[in-house]
Amino acid sequence: VLPILSEVAVQRAETMTTQEIANTLWGIADLRHVVSITAFDRDLIPRLADATIKKAPRFTDRQFELAIPEIVCAFAKLQIQHRPLLKTIATLCQKKGVLMNMNDWGLCALTWSYAEVIQDAELSEFRKGLREEVARRGLSEERISQSQAGPDVWLL
């Protein structure tokens, strides 16, 4: 069943909404302990990343609240470093100043994800901005780490 679903998603990637992309990636990340993701790695995940990048100039504030943190967190959970996607999202977050208005889960998820996936100097300013906003809100390291479980679990 998964290969068929993967193939359908590959064909639909360009027309999926940002939230549909986020849900698909989150589902793949949740399955990583149950099934091999190699089939997804080769075709689907890069296609979803490219589709997200193409949609990036039109991201709304609402997408930055849930879909974008879910997408980035799914990549981190899968240990996939898709630099073009991560750089695009970091650049948009900085340009649009969305971090100050982002919900706590989204901020924690981005903070955890960018620390988990990219530790070199390339996005250090963005990671620093995430950390500053986390500190301003008084969010703990525990909350940051818990964010990888998803917004529904995190809110409990």
Side-chain angles (χ1 to χ4, degrees), residues 97-110:
V98 298
L99 297 182
M100 288 184 67
N101 298 317
M102 185 173 280
N103 64 63
D104 288 349
W105 175 80
L107 178 64
C108 286
L110 287 180

Side-chain angles (χ1 to χ4, degrees), residues 1-2 11 20 23 26 37 45 48 52-53 61 67 71 80 82 84 94-96 105-106 111 118 122 128 138-139 144:
V1 174
L2 287 176
Q11 294 170 3
E20 288 171 334
N23 293 345
W26 195 265
I37 62 159
I45 293 172
L48 294 174
T52 303
I53 292 168
D61 290 345
I71 290 169
I80 297 174
H82 195 287
Q94 289 170 313
K95 281 184 182 176
K96 294 186 173 213
W105 175 80
T111 303
I118 295 185
E122 186 173 18
K128 180 182 174 192
L139 297 166
I144 292 168

Side-chain angles (χ1 to χ4, degrees), residues 19-20 25 28 30 37 57 100 126 137:
Q19 190 60 57
E20 288 171 334
L25 287 165
I28 293 168
D30 279 350
I37 62 159
M100 288 184 67
F126 180 62
R137 295 185 195 187

Side-chain angles (χ1 to χ4, degrees), residues 11 14-15 27 29 38 43 51 62 68 75 86 90 97 114-115 117 122 134 138 146:
Q11 294 170 3
E14 297 296 319
T15 60
T38 55
D43 299 320
R62 178 75 178 130
I68 302 311
F75 272 88
L86 296 171
Y114 276 88
V117 177
E122 186 173 18
V134 162
Q146 290 170 342

Side-chain angles (χ1 to χ4, degrees), residues 12-127:
R12 284 202 57 235
E14 297 296 319
T15 60
M16 293 171 95
T17 67
T18 307
Q19 190 60 57
E20 288 171 334
I21 291 170
N23 293 345
T24 302
L25 287 165
W26 195 265
I28 293 168
D30 279 350
L31 288 173
R32 74 190 181 284
H33 299 299
V34 180
V35 297
S36 169
I37 62 159
T38 55
F40 298 119
D41 281 351
R42 192 175 47 257
D43 299 320
L44 180 57
I45 293 172
R47 184 76 57 94
L48 294 174
D50 292 342
T52 303
I53 292 168
K54 287 179 185 170
K55 295 174 186 305
R58 296 179 306 281
F59 286 162
T60 65
D61 290 345
R62 178 75 178 130
Q63 288 167 323
F64 277 108
E65 286 287 313
L66 185 60
I68 302 311
E70 279 185 350
I71 290 169
V72 174
C73 195
F75 272 88
K77 288 167 66 168
L78 292 165
Q79 291 294 300
I80 297 174
Q81 227 184 58
H82 195 287
R83 286 185 181 273
L85 174 68
L86 296 171
K87 286 171 66 174
T88 297
I89 290 172
T91 300
L92 284 172
C93 283
Q94 289 170 313
K95 281 184 182 176
K96 294 186 173 213
V98 298
L99 297 182
M100 288 184 67
N101 298 317
M102 185 173 280
N103 64 63
D104 288 349
W105 175 80
L107 178 64
C108 286
L110 287 180
T111 303
W112 178 82
S113 300
Y114 276 88
E116 188 72 15
V117 177
I118 295 185
Q119 282 130 29
D120 58 25
E122 186 173 18
L123 292 171
S124 62
E125 282 301 309
F126 180 62
R127 285 195 316 273

